[in-house]
């Protein structure tokens, strides 16, 4: 059974803290994605990676960075958390580049920044 | 630029009634289209996808969707809704750069009345 796991389901942090969100997939997928989900806005792409050590900005990269040192792991980093980064964060992965390949999603991390 | 619009933010139907969720896309070439479902507290699960061939696509959990190029639509249907179908539904289109990126609609929340 394919699986994408995220390190935490719920996280509470304080303004200014450095926050790490971890995502691991066991499907040997090249592509990995980080989304942010907010009510009424759907899913917005923050960053994606199509290979180890490769990354590209998505639609809303400001305030975020990513790291992909191993194929199965993709980390999202909030260098200095702010209250407007309170949100649901979803990680996904997909097989090598095909436009019709589905993305597999993790359960999400609900981050609250106080 | 590609875009996806889900005109209905919230829909309520009675259990046993039929369901149609609307999705309109903007894309110049043949689109690759997806419907995902997100149950409360869960990640997204693929219901069905269209990338070629028969314009009526069957998915899991009794859902189907019809691709209509003339209307730029990919509406999701189910003949008889069950209480367990209450969830948020997202339509998505694959981006033109063939990177595996998806562009999501804003989502439609389905409530099922007993």
């Amino acid at each position: 059974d394919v699986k994408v796991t995220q390190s935490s389901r719920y996280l509470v942090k304080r303004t200014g803290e450095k926050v790490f969100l971890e995502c691991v997939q066991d499907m040997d997928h090249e592509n990995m994605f980080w989304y942010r989900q907010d009510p009424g806005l759907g899913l917005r792409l923050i960053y994606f990676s199509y290979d180890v050590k490769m990354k590209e900005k998505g639609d809303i990269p400001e305030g975020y960075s990513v790291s992909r040192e191993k194929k199965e792991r993709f980390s999202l980093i909030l260098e200095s958390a702010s209250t407007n980064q309170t949100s649901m964060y979803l990680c996904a992965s997909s097989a090598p580049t095909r436009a019709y390949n589905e993305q597999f999603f993790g359960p999400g991390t609900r981050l609250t920044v106080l | 630029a590609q875009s996806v619009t889900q005109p209905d933010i919230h829909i309520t139907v009675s259990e046993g009634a039929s369901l149609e969720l609307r999705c309109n896309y903007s894309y110049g070439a043949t689109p690759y289209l997806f419907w995902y479902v997100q149950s409360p507290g869960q990640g997204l699960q693929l219901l069905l996808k269209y990338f070629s061939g028969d314009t009526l696509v069957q998915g899991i959990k009794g859902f189907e969707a019809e691709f209509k190029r003339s209307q730029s639509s990919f509406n999701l249907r189910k003949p008889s809704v069950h209480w367990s179908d209450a969830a948020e539904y997202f339509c998505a289109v694959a981006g033109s750069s063939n990177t595996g990126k998806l562009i999501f609609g804003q989502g439609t929340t389905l409530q099922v009345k007993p």
Side-chain angles (χ1 to χ4, degrees):
Chain A
D1 195 19
V2 298
K3 208 160 188 181
V4 178
T5 56
Q6 295 183 229
S7 50
S8 305
R9 293 298 299 272
Y10 299 93
L11 209 52
V12 179
K13 296 292 182 181
R14 297 208 174 272
T15 302
E17 280 192 80
K18 190 169 186 175
V19 181
F20 293 86
L21 302 182
E22 304 284 339
C23 175
V24 177
Q25 51 95 3
D26 65 0
M27 295 166 281
D28 202 36
H29 283 165
E30 276 74 5
N31 298 340
M32 295 189 75
F33 307 84
W34 274 107
Y35 294 92
R36 173 176 171 157
Q37 182 181 10
D38 298 288
L41 298 178
L43 276 70
R44 293 179 291 169
L45 183 64
I46 304 171
Y47 267 96
F48 73 101
S49 169
Y50 49 89
D51 202 350
V52 175
K53 298 191 185 294
M54 305 301 287
K55 60 186 179 185
E56 284 197 21
K57 293 179 180 179
D59 300 316
I60 52 164
E62 296 78 19
Y64 304 94
S65 63
V66 291
S67 172
R68 190 154 181 215
E69 297 296 320
K70 293 185 177 181
K71 189 176 185 180
E72 67 271 17
R73 188 179 298 270
F74 192 34
S75 302
L76 180 69
I77 303 157
L78 287 65
E79 294 290 342
S80 178
S82 64
T83 55
N84 62 14
Q85 292 178 310
T86 292
S87 188
M88 170 72 90
Y89 291 88
L90 292 167
C91 175
S93 71
S94 69
T97 302
R98 293 276 193 276
Y100 50 81
N101 277 353
E102 69 177 282
Q103 291 183 13
F104 293 86
F105 283 82
T109 295
R110 186 165 294 282
L111 172 67
T112 301
V113 182
L114 302 175
Chain B
Q2 297 84 34
S3 66
V4 177
T5 301
Q6 294 179 244
D8 305 305
I9 296 173
H10 193 107
I11 282 183
T12 300
V13 299
S14 297
E15 190 168 16
S18 63
L19 171 70
E20 183 169 27
L21 302 182
R22 296 184 290 165
C23 172
N24 295 102
Y25 66 89
S26 172
Y27 188 67
T30 300
Y32 301 110
L33 295 158
F34 305 78
W35 273 102
Y36 284 85
V37 62
Q38 184 182 34
S39 299
Q42 304 293 318
L44 275 68
Q45 180 185 20
L46 182 72
L47 284 175
L48 48 78
K49 64 183 179 184
Y50 169 81
F51 58 91
S52 68
D54 194 345
T55 56
L56 185 62
V57 181
Q58 301 297 321
I60 62 170
K61 305 186 182 190
F63 285 91
E64 66 178 28
E66 186 169 12
F67 169 59
K68 292 185 177 180
R69 185 188 299 275
S70 61
Q71 298 178 18
S72 297
S73 69
F74 188 55
N75 293 350
L76 182 71
R77 301 194 294 246
K78 187 169 185 179
S80 177
V81 169
H82 188 262
W83 63 267
S84 60
D85 293 323
E88 189 158 20
Y89 292 80
F90 293 94
C91 182
V93 63
S96 60
S97 57
N98 206 34
T99 58
K101 289 197 292 182
L102 295 179
I103 297 161
F104 286 85
Q106 303 92 324
T108 298
T109 299
L110 172 66
Q111 184 179 359
V112 180
K113 292 191 300 184

